[in-house]
Amino acid sequence: MVNLTIDGITVSVPEGTTILDAARSADISVPTLCHHPKLTPFGGCRLCIVNIKGVPRPVTSCTTPAEDGMEVTTRSSTLERLRRTLVELLLSDHPNDCMVCEQAGNCTLQELAYFYGIRENRFAGERRVYTKTDNNPFLERDMEKCILCGKCVRVCDEIQGVGAVDFTYRGFSAKICPPFEKDLECEFCGQCVTVCPTGALTGKMWRQKGRQQGIRKVHTVCPYCGCGCNLTLHVRDNEVIRVSSREDTINEGWLCPKGSFGYGFIANSDRLTKPLIREKGKLRETTWEKALEYIASNSLKIKENYGPDAIGGLASARCSNEENYVFQKFMRAVIGTNNVDHCARL
Amino acid sequence: MAGLATVFGSGAMTNSIPEIENNDVIFVIGSNTTETHPIIALRMKKAFRKGAKIIVADPRKINLVRFSELWMQQRPGTDVALLNAIMHVILKEKLIDKKFIEENTEGFEAFRKSLAEYSPEKAEKITGVPKKDIIAAARLYGKANNPAIYYTMGITQHSHGTQNVFAIANLALMTGNLGRESTGVNPLRGQNNVQGATDMGCIPNQYPGYQKVDIKDIQEKFETAWGVPLSDKPGLTATEMIEEAIKGNLKSLYIMGENPAVSDPDINHTVEALKKLDLLIVQDIFLTETAQLADVVLPAACFAEKDGTFTNTERRLQRVRQAVTPPGDAREDHSVLLELSRRMGHAMNNQSPEEIFREICSIWPAVAGITYDRIDSWGIQWPCPTPDHPGTPYLFKQGFPRGKALFSTVHYEQSRELPDKKYPFVLTTGRQLFQYHTGSMTRRVSELDQVAPHAYVEINPDDAEKLKIKNEEMLKVSSRRGEILIQALISERPSKGVVFIPFHYKEAAANILTNPELDPICKIPELKVCAVRIESAKGEKYEKGVRRIKKTEKSTSV
Amino acid sequence: MKNKPIIRICMGTGGIAAGGTEVMKAFKKQLKRKGIKADVKKHCLLHKVGCRGLCAKDVLVDIIVNKVKSTYQFIQPDMVQRIVDEHVINNVPVQDWLVTDDYHQFHNKQIKVVLSDCGTIDPEEISSYRAVGGYDALKQVLETGSPGDTIKTLKESGLRGRGGAGFPTGMKWEFCKNQSSPEKYIICNADEGDPGAFMDRSIIEGNPHAVIEGMVIGAYAIGAHKGYVYIRAEYPLAVERLRKALTHARKLKFLGKNILGKKFNFDIKVKLGAGAFVCGEETALIASIEGYRGMPRAKPPFPVYRGLWGNPTVINNVETLANVSYIIRNGAEWFASFGTEKSKGTKVFALTGKIRNSGLIEVPMGISLREIIYDIGGGIDKDVAFKAVQTGGPSGGCIPASLLNINVDYESLAQVGSIVGSGGMVVLDENDCMVNIAKFFLQFTQAESCGKCIPCRIGTKRLLEILERITAGDGRDEDLELLMNLSYDIKASSLCGLGQTAPNPILSTIKYFREEYEAHIKKKKCPAGVCRDLLDYAVLAEFCTGCGACKRVCPAGAVSGERKQVHRIDPELCVKCGACFEACKFKAIGKG
């Protein structure tokens, strides 16, 4: 353990802990835009700069390990002035269209602008202008809102192991994009969307479906493969409009394209809404009453005529435990057969 | 699962997902993990970044190969020969764990002798994997401290799938790589609640919690719990039901949320069987290919419309919560069943999912300690026998449920249908990232379908050149059971002589071709190996049951 | 045959550009014609040499007959026959073509350590380097010295990093040596990118083995087995000579396994940079070698602790490494006898700009700026006034005429707001606009910013925009303060040296030439007459002869006037191209 003081508070943290994490452990908030706890420290946004006694210039707390006896200051008029300049610089090259931005209310840059009360901008000047060119169905990339924090680059390389995007060009024209600005290697997992601190990366299918107001968030589990990823369904007006995932779960907040973007089937117009019954060779809509009565009477008839083992049931690897339990209990206790299986083998 | 249950006394992933990142060697065999279990693959990549060495054994050059230390491209269906040769080397180089074998296992002697004939040289001839790679794999796995094996259907969907599983278990046992954190044998389950469906007793020979129907005490326990006499006769498996339907012995089938008319092997055969039934009831969220054959179709609620629990591949029970209401008159599956039971004269008490869950916990000791409250934000892995038990991230810490784990003597057997002059290619099937299973859900997500709109057959460039096939050309792929028309995708992924088709696409259903031959123990069909012929589709006329693929064709709607 | 004449032809990049290759061919032809067998391996009869500094006089040729050296300047192939006939054969130098006094003056105050063999040995022949004691230092270190001794010598010599920051080299090596890691690296930073700088290029072109020997000694001292030379791909000749030298060194067991028969393995790879200025920053350079985009990483941890692929890594500049073997051979005391208390030894500078003798120079640390500019550089044109010296490239600052007497060393330059840097020295005269100079450097740093950190990426862009509007006549009253405030914030908050020093050209020009900025902002005038938007051209009636030259060249038709009458420029039409100004023989066009 190393002991240091941060803003006069004594903090004790394991060796190797960064100053940022040490500060956070003491409930001292330090602003950041490019830091993500699961990604390698970047030190690009410079917002988390702190002063260490005896060190001539401010250092980024996200990259500097805490050391024994350090005296750290996270807030001073100089540091706040520098941070304000940084945010102001970012806003001088930003569309500032929070009114219609998909991420409003969930945007770190917006929050910083609010905290520093930036209304006028001393540095107003040229802004990057990009035309949106990508035509993939998942990711909306509004690179004018990109602050080049590099989180998407790191998540794609370090977590997803794909490296579909990286920094390109230099100076003010620096930009994050895929090789040759095409979606060559992208797996559309949406990890980059998850970590983006601004509205630069959003889901195409989220557009104008709802932001923060009137949203209910429901925590559940993904209906696809067996990983058991936790999903947070964003619901508005009885419609799932967005999917995210909590970080404190088995999937650590990461999802795949199906988990992130594969929720469209829920409200698909093909959904069955009424029981169907075959009449004269064709399936026709009917009532639950009629359908259930038909099933009950015919099943009982078959059971009577051929015995319970002439009836079989297939449960589902996509239904819940409770439903599967009831299903096999139905087959065994009500029908009286062990002819029950599911598609585990397929 | 039956394979592992025979060996250890319990069949499930022995370890948990978070443990993957602390493996020092990861042996992935028969699992295209990045596409079938993308989030588990992320943990493997994390382990890779932390220095783990990844061994991949797969007939295709899957994505994970990019992260691998060693890739063995075995011929489909030759896993036993490969695994036995690896164990042969481990034995020869004295990399076995003698103490573990003595204390925890039985049957080692016979097993040891059985390995004698599997020299790497011989295995090279059978599998096509170079001898040096087999030796390297043996050394990597044999010398590792925390190695784990991961497999999926590439291992099990064979006529000798259980033998494959036995061989994997042998490998872990002889090196003592079980019963510890981040070390074990891990079958990755392919569907969100396939573990749960099995746990819940949706298998013909076991009640919930792997309690056998033909054991008197257990039968009595359930008769008491449910208040009715129960049958002690193990039932039919899904594939057997199809056979009995064809024979006319099975008259009625109630299918809840499955689509065998696309997912079964030799689906022409399955469709024929379903048509013969007197009563076919299908309860689903869409009018699937199976539902279209039904006498009664019941509209069901999907995952976002109901409460309950799913059990993921690592035995973790997690809460499913209702977010929206079901469309129209659609109902949650359990309420339909409860209503039916009432009408059929044996009312189950009208229960909420939580009440049902409590009943489950009362009759399966391994989940007795779990409640909805306990899994409100984090799931718990069974076994969790008591309310203060934290759950079990990895199994066999205290030994094996069957006492001593059993070494099995396993010998290489050829797949049932091998390529010949008439059908010169080996077809292997599987999934791809953007689609899921029979596609009834994903193909109705327009965005997903847009990036993976149609079926394809992956074929090696050399084979393509030989057959003068161009990329995206329409091909006819036929087997002894049927034929489909499908686009060519020339790719380095399969080796020469092997082709691959994803099985999500009903209009070019791979399962028209596949072999329904079953593994005798697990009854898993041999979906991973069959023999096919490939030819140009120019001037083809299409028979019934064989649909033409069009890029624009979308799923049919009512 | 000891008295064979020796002919050396300057074939650095400058020499080749001036026709060195053809001169070499001509010599071969002429010598062959005379039946003289010229073979470099036998006592160096005819060979190429690297740059000796005064490239303006290329092709330079040395002829040594009976140990008497004569140097010729501006040699072209057609002059070779006469030199061979008269000088090489008959030992009568061709007086007309010999170098003039300014050539000697240029060299008189220089002290050559790093460059001592540049310009005399053949850079493509290891035997040539061996003949002047090359690799003796390595032998000495491997045979009689320990890594500790070597580092001790380096520390005593006082050698400091010549790449710009001036960190003591011995100390850096010691930090790295003390790391217990199985894998360590030594990297030679040859990604010289400052505008107008060519020190490192010249050293590698003229004496690549000195750099290699320095690296091997360094590797031995810190315990590294792998080394990299990170060199700009835009230096093809240096890369070629370096690669050749590496091959030769491997052959003679100065590199590779069991170097000189000892249990010491070390080899060097050449890694070509793709032209990003920021890759000269050590952490960006490491990222680039690792295969990532060249973007700097946060320090600490410093590369000596966690560098290439996370292993302890020493990164030294070319000139630093080239010093090492001379220090080992001649002793720390000898080296420390040059220079000042805190800045020991010599430093190579690239002297350019408005100066008579532009070229490569090596001077002892602490020499005065005046000596460099007037004694070595020969001063500037007589009728123009000296204004400032820009040192340290885009990271440096401008030193005004009033400070000409300061000593050139790390501390003194830092005190006046500039830096030694890698050794660029650009001389400016009264026709240079200081705001424009600042703008030039900001254009450079902005374009070369990697984009990783906000202050450098956006901040330098905003600085540049402010400078652009000042030079366009749109400067605002608050702009000076805004420039300074933003400059300080960028310096304080940028990630790497590029951003931290990018505002220096602005700050130092504001410090010493504030009135020029004010003239631009308040009076909308450019005193040096450079900023086009602020210039007005007008005919000076008292000098105008009405010759019509200005009228003829004006592309905008802005000049009017009858022959032999005073002409007039219409300011509405004038595009300020300056053609009239250039065309007028009577200095009758005024600008300002």
Side-chain angles (χ1 to χ4, degrees):
Chain A
M1 298 295 274
V2 295
N3 296 299
L4 67 160
T5 65
I6 303 176
D7 295 343
I9 301 167
T10 306
V11 185
S12 187
V13 289
E15 209 161 313
T17 309
T18 61
I19 295 174
L20 180 68
D21 288 339
R24 286 182 174 175
S25 75
D27 215 11
I28 297 167
S29 66
V30 180
T32 66
L33 274 168
C34 70
H35 181 73
H36 190 283
K38 294 200 174 71
L39 303 174
T40 51
F42 191 62
C45 77
R46 317 303 292 165
L47 283 169
C48 71
I49 44 174
V50 296
N51 280 117
I52 300 170
K53 197 177 173 186
V55 176
R57 48 182 312 124
V59 301
T60 42
S61 57
C62 70
T63 59
T64 313
E67 280 171 30
D68 232 5
M70 262 184 182
E71 290 177 40
V72 177
T73 313
T74 70
R75 252 167 257 185
S76 69
S77 57
T78 314
L79 290 173
E80 287 297 284
R81 193 195 78 220
L82 292 176
R83 287 181 188 135
R84 193 179 194 286
T85 298
L86 293 168
V87 177
E88 210 174 333
L89 284 171
L90 278 178
L91 293 175
S92 74
D93 183 28
H94 197 84
N96 299 328
D97 63 352
C98 307
M99 291 288 186
V100 290
C101 181
E102 206 56 62
Q103 283 299 82
N106 191 25
C107 168
T108 319
L109 183 60
Q110 193 185 38
E111 205 66 1
L112 286 164
Y114 159 78
F115 275 116
Y116 288 101
I118 295 168
R119 190 177 281 273
E120 301 296 318
N121 200 311
R122 290 176 291 163
F123 308 121
E126 188 189 333
R127 232 173 29 75
R128 292 165 299 159
V129 179
Y130 298 122
T131 37
K132 291 178 198 165
T133 51
D134 58 320
N135 51 7
N136 79 75
F138 306 109
L139 310 179
E140 183 73 30
R141 293 185 294 172
D142 187 349
M143 300 317 284
E144 292 179 14
K145 291 179 183 168
C146 174
I147 55 164
L148 283 92
C149 68
K151 279 186 188 174
C152 54
V153 174
R154 280 173 286 152
V155 83
C156 195
D157 176 32
E158 298 171 13
I159 301 293
Q160 199 65 18
V162 171
V165 286
D166 205 339
F167 287 81
T168 53
Y169 307 107
R170 274 180 241 165
F172 191 68
S173 321
K175 180 184 180 183
I176 289 168
C177 65
F180 309 108
E181 310 212 19
K182 293 206 165 74
D183 284 327
L184 287 177
E185 296 293 324
C186 184
E187 290 181 356
F188 303 115
C189 61
Q191 253 66 286
C192 53
V193 177
T194 305
V195 297
C196 181
T198 72
L201 298 173
T202 53
K204 271 216 172 98
M205 57 191 75
W206 303 352
R207 185 185 252 162
Q208 287 174 316
K209 289 277 189 183
R211 299 190 291 195
Q212 307 300 313
Q213 297 256 321
I215 301 295
R216 231 171 2 104
K217 291 187 180 175
V218 179
H219 301 298
T220 188
V221 179
C222 181
Y224 291 112
C225 80
C227 292
C229 298
N230 289 253
L231 301 184
T232 299
L233 306 180
H234 299 225
V235 182
R236 189 170 179 276
D237 286 348
N238 201 35
E239 188 190 351
V240 177
I241 57 155
R242 195 187 283 200
V243 169
S244 61
S245 184
R246 283 151 47 214
E247 279 176 34
D248 59 335
T249 58
I250 190 69
N251 50 303
E252 302 184 295
W254 311 129
L255 294 174
C256 76
K258 295 192 289 287
S260 296
F261 303 117
Y263 58 84
F265 74 90
I266 300 171
N268 189 289
S269 58
D270 288 356
R271 282 291 298 278
L272 290 170
T273 55
K274 290 231 180 325
L276 307 174
I277 198 157
R278 193 169 293 277
E279 283 171 12
K280 294 177 192 160
K282 283 199 169 165
L283 285 170
R284 294 188 197 285
E285 284 186 359
T286 185
T287 61
W288 275 104
E289 177 59 35
K290 283 183 187 157
L292 292 177
E293 204 40 56
Y294 183 88
I295 295 169
S297 59
N298 281 288
S299 296
L300 286 173
K301 220 182 283 167
I302 291 170
K303 184 177 166 182
E304 216 165 278
N305 293 343
Y306 305 99
D309 287 340
I311 300 175
L314 292 178
S316 176
R318 279 173 292 278
C319 290
S320 70
N321 286 324
E322 292 75 3
E323 288 161 345
N324 277 303
Y325 176 80
V326 170
F327 188 86
Q328 61 86 34
K329 186 175 169 187
F330 173 79
M331 292 307 296
R332 289 185 163 117
V334 181
I335 304 286
T337 179
N338 282 316
N339 288 344
V340 54
D341 202 1
H342 71 287
C343 70
R345 301 167 184 85
L346 304 173
Chain B
M1 290 310 111
L4 284 189
T6 312
V7 179
F8 304 139
S10 167
M13 261 178 89
T14 61
N15 301 78
S16 61
I17 294 171
E19 289 170 60
I20 296 172
E21 59 186 77
N22 294 320
N23 292 145
D24 57 354
V25 164
I26 292 175
F27 184 12
V28 178
I29 180 162
S31 164
N32 180 9
T33 321
T34 58
E35 297 201 59
T36 60
H37 296 83
I39 301 305
I40 286 178
L42 295 190
R43 293 278 186 172
M44 292 180 176
K45 291 171 188 173
K46 198 168 176 185
F48 167 78
R49 284 181 71 84
K50 286 167 84 173
K53 304 252 194 305
I54 298 180
I55 309 170
V56 174
D58 203 288
R60 292 164 71 217
K61 190 173 182 182
I62 56 174
N63 263 334
L64 205 57
V65 171
R66 277 180 52 220
F67 300 87
S68 68
E69 181 84 1
L70 181 67
W71 169 44
M72 297 181 283
Q73 190 174 27
Q74 78 272 38
R75 292 187 187 112
T78 63
D79 308 85
V80 166
L82 180 67
L83 289 162
N84 275 1
I86 289 171
M87 291 188 272
H88 177 101
V89 177
I90 284 177
L91 193 66
K92 194 168 147 195
E93 304 203 351
K94 299 194 171 61
L95 298 171
I96 58 170
D97 186 338
K98 272 191 190 153
K99 187 163 174 276
F100 182 91
I101 293 168
E102 272 165 33
E103 290 173 4
N104 299 295
T105 69
E106 57 192 35
F108 181 68
E109 252 330 283
F111 160 71
R112 192 179 64 79
K113 282 179 192 148
S114 74
L115 292 180
E117 60 185 278
Y118 291 95
S119 66
E121 292 81 2
K122 182 180 167 186
E124 177 172 343
K125 279 187 198 125
I126 299 171
T127 63
V129 178
K131 175 186 158 186
K132 67 165 180 30
D133 289 350
I134 295 174
I135 295 172
R139 287 177 186 159
L140 271 173
Y141 181 85
K143 290 179 184 173
N145 294 318
N146 290 313
I149 307 170
Y150 299 86
Y151 67 88
T152 42
M153 296 304 186
I155 281 297
T156 53
Q157 287 178 344
H158 291 280
S159 55
H160 50 270
T162 309
Q163 306 293 313
N164 285 344
V165 175
F166 284 158
I168 286 172
N170 287 342
L171 176 59
L173 285 174
M174 76 191 296
T175 48
N177 288 323
L178 279 164
R180 281 179 287 124
E181 202 174 328
S182 293
T183 307
V185 174
N186 296 289
L188 305 176
R189 311 303 304 264
Q191 302 178 54
N192 59 333
N193 200 33
V194 64
Q195 182 71 45
T198 320
D199 293 348
M200 290 306 113
C202 291
I203 32 180
N205 60 340
Q206 287 169 358
Y207 292 119
Y210 306 94
Q211 309 182 66
K212 292 214 162 108
V213 297
D214 50 1
I215 294 175
K216 197 78 201 152
D217 290 355
I218 292 173
Q219 189 191 347
E220 278 168 11
K221 170 179 152 186
F222 277 88
E223 281 174 343
T224 312
W226 292 346
V228 283
L230 296 170
S231 164
D232 62 352
K233 184 182 148 207
L236 301 169
T237 63
T239 28
E240 287 166 342
M241 286 183 214
I242 295 300
E243 289 314 309
E244 292 305 306
I246 291 271
K247 287 182 201 155
N249 297 330
L250 194 80
K251 300 291 183 190
S252 168
L253 190 56
Y254 191 149
I255 302 178
M256 173 176 82
E258 299 236 325
N259 190 10
V262 178
S263 63
D264 267 11
D266 193 3
I267 50 184
N268 288 338
H269 186 70
T270 301
V271 169
E272 192 192 331
L274 295 178
K275 282 182 179 165
K276 275 191 119 172
L277 292 165
D278 291 351
L279 178 62
L280 174 61
I281 306 151
V282 174
Q283 185 167 317
D284 212 313
I285 61 173
F286 292 111
L287 191 68
T288 60
E289 293 66 26
T290 308
Q292 286 168 29
L293 303 169
D295 297 298
V296 188
V297 179
L298 302 175
C302 79
F303 85 107
E305 295 150 1
K306 59 195 176 194
D307 282 297
T309 55
F310 286 158
T311 306
N312 78 347
T313 182
E314 42 154 18
R315 299 170 273 106
R316 190 183 303 275
L317 282 88
Q318 305 191 104
R319 278 285 274 117
V320 176
R321 292 183 182 86
Q322 182 175 15
V324 291
T325 53
D329 293 343
R331 284 196 198 173
E332 290 160 85
D333 293 294
H334 74 272
S335 75
V336 177
L337 291 160
L338 294 175
E339 173 65 17
L340 267 179
S341 71
R342 193 182 58 75
R343 284 171 190 257
M344 291 177 69
H346 177 83
M348 298 185 217
N349 296 328
N350 204 358
Q351 293 162 316
S352 69
E354 187 167 8
E355 284 168 336
I356 299 169
F357 188 77
R358 270 190 227 122
E359 182 176 320
I360 296 166
C361 298
S362 71
I363 54 170
W364 181 21
V367 292
I370 304 178
T371 61
Y372 272 22
D373 276 350
R374 281 194 72 189
I375 56 173
D376 190 49
S377 64
W378 256 101
I380 294 178
Q381 288 173 281
W382 64 257
C384 174
T386 56
D388 56 354
H389 192 285
T392 310
Y394 62 95
L395 299 177
F396 315 141
K397 192 179 179 181
Q398 322 287 354
F400 298 100
R402 76 180 290 281
K404 287 196 167 188
L406 180 67
F407 276 104
S408 328
T409 300
V410 181
H411 285 290
Y412 167 66
E413 288 171 48
Q414 291 186 336
S415 300
R416 296 296 158 80
E417 189 177 85
L418 291 176
D420 52 27
K421 267 197 179 154
K422 202 167 174 209
Y423 298 100
F425 284 91
V426 174
L427 166 69
T428 186
T429 64
R431 290 184 180 176
Q432 58 122 310
L433 180 64
F434 295 103
Q435 298 288 1
Y436 177 72
H437 224 67
T438 65
S440 59
M441 287 163 18
T442 49
R443 299 207 65 199
R444 286 183 175 85
V445 178
S446 60
E447 295 85 357
L448 290 171
D449 213 41
Q450 197 177 323
V451 292
H454 55 77
Y456 52 86
V457 52
E458 279 181 9
I459 182 164
N460 184 283
D462 289 351
D463 290 333
E465 204 186 316
K466 222 181 283 170
L467 296 175
K468 299 199 171 59
I469 289 169
K470 288 192 203 79
N471 208 21
E472 296 188 7
E473 180 182 341
M474 195 56 83
L475 301 178
K476 184 170 88 172
V477 182
S478 40
S479 77
R480 288 183 174 82
R481 289 153 295 278
E483 55 186 48
I484 60 169
L485 294 156
I486 190 167
Q487 274 196 7
L489 175 68
I490 297 174
S491 161
E492 300 276 359
R493 293 179 117 201
S495 61
K496 270 192 263 183
V498 176
V499 295
F500 169 84
I501 300 178
F503 70 95
H504 313 293
Y505 299 89
K506 61 182 163 46
E507 67 275 21
N511 283 328
I512 286 179
L513 309 169
T514 48
N515 189 354
E517 197 73 51
L518 298 185
D519 174 90
I521 301 168
C522 275
K523 318 284 183 181
I524 298 182
E526 185 147 79
L527 295 176
K528 292 294 185 246
V529 182
C530 76
V532 294
R533 180 172 67 235
I534 290 175
E535 54 212 316
S536 169
K538 274 176 205 148
E540 272 300 318
K541 283 184 183 170
Y542 312 121
E543 292 167 23
K544 208 179 164 192
V546 180
R547 265 177 268 183
R548 186 190 186 121
I549 318 156
K550 269 192 241 147
K551 249 191 180 175
T552 50
E553 187 182 282
K554 293 283 173 206
S555 334
T556 47
S557 48
V558 190
Chain C
M1 193 178 151
K2 282 256 158 79
N3 291 332
K4 269 188 181 174
I6 299 169
I7 305 160
R8 299 175 184 146
I9 300 162
C10 185
M11 281 177 71
T13 295
I16 288 173
T21 314
E22 289 71 31
V23 172
M24 170 68 93
K25 267 190 206 152
F27 266 104
K28 279 185 181 159
K29 191 176 152 198
Q30 293 303 329
L31 292 172
K32 199 176 170 192
R33 185 175 60 87
K34 292 288 171 187
I36 301 172
K37 207 177 161 206
D39 183 354
V40 71
K41 294 206 175 69
K42 289 177 192 153
H43 292 289
C44 306
L45 279 170
L46 165 68
H47 68 79
K48 59 173 92 61
V49 295
C51 182
R52 72 272 302 280
L54 202 51
C55 305
K57 294 185 179 293
D58 268 322
V59 177
L60 289 159
V61 174
D62 284 344
I63 308 280
I64 304 166
V65 181
N66 293 331
K67 294 185 180 168
V68 179
K69 185 177 96 173
S70 313
T71 305
Y72 292 93
Q73 60 185 10
F74 302 123
I75 297 305
Q76 291 301 310
D78 57 3
M79 301 156 84
V80 169
Q81 184 173 356
R82 188 171 157 206
I83 295 173
V84 170
D85 288 349
E86 295 179 18
H87 191 171
V88 177
I89 293 172
N90 295 320
N91 198 13
V92 182
V94 184
Q95 292 296 334
D96 300 351
W97 298 340
L98 287 175
V99 288
T100 41
D101 278 352
D102 52 351
Y103 179 84
H104 298 295
Q105 194 196 357
F106 178 77
H107 285 101
N108 278 347
K109 283 211 169 173
Q110 294 194 45
I111 292 177
K112 298 209 171 183
V113 174
V114 173
L115 299 178
S116 55
D117 297 316
C118 264
T120 53
I121 63 166
D122 185 334
E124 297 189 17
E125 293 296 338
I126 194 168
S127 57
S128 189
Y129 180 61
R130 294 281 293 124
V132 294
Y135 289 109
D136 287 355
L138 176 62
K139 266 192 179 165
Q140 187 186 325
V141 163
L142 287 185
E143 276 163 16
T144 60
S146 67
D149 294 341
T150 311
I151 287 170
K152 192 162 161 263
T153 308
L154 259 280
K155 283 170 84 176
E156 283 168 2
S157 76
L159 176 65
R160 290 168 64 178
R162 298 296 194 236
F167 192 83
T169 307
M171 215 190 277
K172 194 187 260 187
W173 287 13
E174 191 168 44
F175 287 152
C176 192
K177 173 181 173 274
N178 292 341
Q179 297 298 302
S180 56
S181 168
E183 209 65 81
K184 292 180 191 177
Y185 299 97
I186 184 164
I187 298 172
C188 170
N189 183 350
D191 192 52
E192 185 174 52
D194 285 4
F198 49 90
M199 298 75 61
D200 297 345
R201 190 196 73 205
S202 303
I203 291 169
I204 295 181
E205 283 175 3
N207 191 1
H209 286 288
V211 180
I212 296 170
E213 188 177 4
M215 281 183 80
V216 185
I217 292 169
Y220 175 72
I222 65 169
H225 303 293
K226 279 180 198 155
Y228 287 87
V229 179
Y230 189 91
I231 184 167
R232 300 180 67 176
E234 299 94 321
Y235 282 178
L237 183 64
V239 172
E240 184 194 325
R241 290 193 176 156
L242 180 68
R243 288 197 163 132
K244 227 174 237 181
L246 287 170
T247 310
H248 293 168
R250 271 185 212 111
K251 262 187 205 153
L252 295 189
K253 287 261 167 208
F254 297 124
L255 265 184
K257 282 198 171 158
N258 299 325
I259 292 174
L260 293 173
K262 308 285 176 201
K263 275 191 186 160
F264 169 50
N265 307 329
F266 177 69
D267 211 336
I268 295 172
K269 273 189 184 168
V270 177
K271 169 87 190 171
L272 297 187
F277 175 67
V278 74
C279 285
E281 199 280 340
E282 54 184 5
T283 56
L285 187 154
I286 285 174
S288 177
I289 292 180
E290 289 175 356
Y292 289 93
R293 173 178 160 103
M295 293 204 295
R297 295 167 181 172
K299 295 186 280 193
F302 289 91
V304 282
Y305 303 111
R306 281 178 59 83
L308 189 58
W309 288 302
N311 295 310
T313 304
V314 158
I315 301 182
N316 287 136
N317 156 270
V318 171
E319 188 185 338
T320 315
L321 289 165
N323 265 305
V324 170
S325 65
Y326 295 99
I327 293 171
I328 302 282
R329 260 188 276 160
N330 299 309
E333 228 168 274
W334 165 81
F335 185 80
S337 69
F338 308 113
T340 66
E341 175 67 28
K342 285 183 173 167
S343 303
K344 303 285 189 200
T346 60
K347 175 78 192 91
V348 180
F349 288 97
L351 193 58
T352 55
K354 307 286 180 60
I355 190 144
R356 285 218 177 97
N357 301 333
S358 63
L360 193 69
I361 62 167
E362 183 173 358
V363 290
M365 286 282 194
I367 189 172
S368 77
L369 199 52
R370 181 181 298 279
E371 284 173 283
I372 292 181
I373 290 169
Y374 286 96
D375 297 350
I376 297 172
I380 52 182
D381 279 341
K382 279 202 182 78
D383 50 353
V384 214
F386 168 79
K387 191 176 201 174
V389 181
Q390 209 283 346
T391 67
S395 309
C398 290
I399 301 164
S402 58
L403 295 173
L404 255 185
N405 288 330
I406 63 156
N407 297 337
V408 175
D409 59 56
Y410 294 113
E411 283 71 26
S412 308
L413 289 194
Q415 256 174 22
V416 300
S418 188
I419 55 169
V420 172
S422 58
M425 211 173 248
V426 185
V427 179
L428 307 169
D429 68 19
E430 61 180 0
N431 291 322
D432 290 309
C433 167
M434 298 315 280
V435 185
N436 193 52
I437 291 288
K439 190 173 82 179
F440 167 79
F441 281 112
L442 257 293
Q443 274 164 348
F444 180 82
T445 40
Q446 158 57 210
E448 291 295 343
S449 164
C450 76
K452 180 169 175 173
C453 76
I454 299 164
C456 183
R457 181 180 78 244
I458 308 178
T460 58
K461 171 72 176 175
R462 299 300 174 228
L463 287 178
L464 178 59
E465 283 174 349
I466 297 169
L467 291 173
E468 277 168 350
R469 72 176 176 241
I470 291 175
T471 55
D474 298 326
R476 303 167 195 163
D477 286 347
E478 69 273 18
D479 275 352
L480 263 186
E481 199 191 336
L482 191 57
L483 272 179
M484 288 178 33
N485 284 344
L486 183 53
S487 291
Y488 286 123
D489 289 354
I490 292 171
K491 280 171 74 74
S493 60
S494 285
L495 168 60
C496 82
L498 193 151
Q500 287 163 10
T501 59
N504 285 354
I506 295 179
L507 290 173
S508 74
T509 49
I510 293 182
K511 185 173 176 187
Y512 297 115
F513 303 95
R514 194 182 183 100
E515 69 288 351
E516 274 194 54
Y517 279 88
E518 284 169 347
H520 282 75
I521 296 169
K522 293 188 177 140
K523 298 183 194 144
K524 311 292 178 198
K525 286 286 166 198
C526 174
V530 172
C531 300
R532 185 186 281 190
D533 290 334
L534 301 183
L535 289 184
D536 286 320
Y537 287 90
V539 176
L540 305 172
E542 63 266 44
F543 299 115
C544 181
T545 62
C547 71
C550 52
K551 194 176 166 183
R552 282 193 293 278
V553 296
C554 179
V559 184
S560 57
E562 295 298 316
R563 253 187 97 73
K564 308 228 169 155
Q565 297 292 314
V566 172
H567 283 46
R568 190 183 159 274
I569 299 174
D570 183 350
E572 292 296 311
L573 295 176
C574 177
V575 294
K576 299 168 182 180
C577 66
C580 54
F581 184 84
E582 301 292 326
C584 181
K585 289 175 187 152
F586 308 100
K587 300 207 170 170
I589 306 284
K591 72 172 175 179

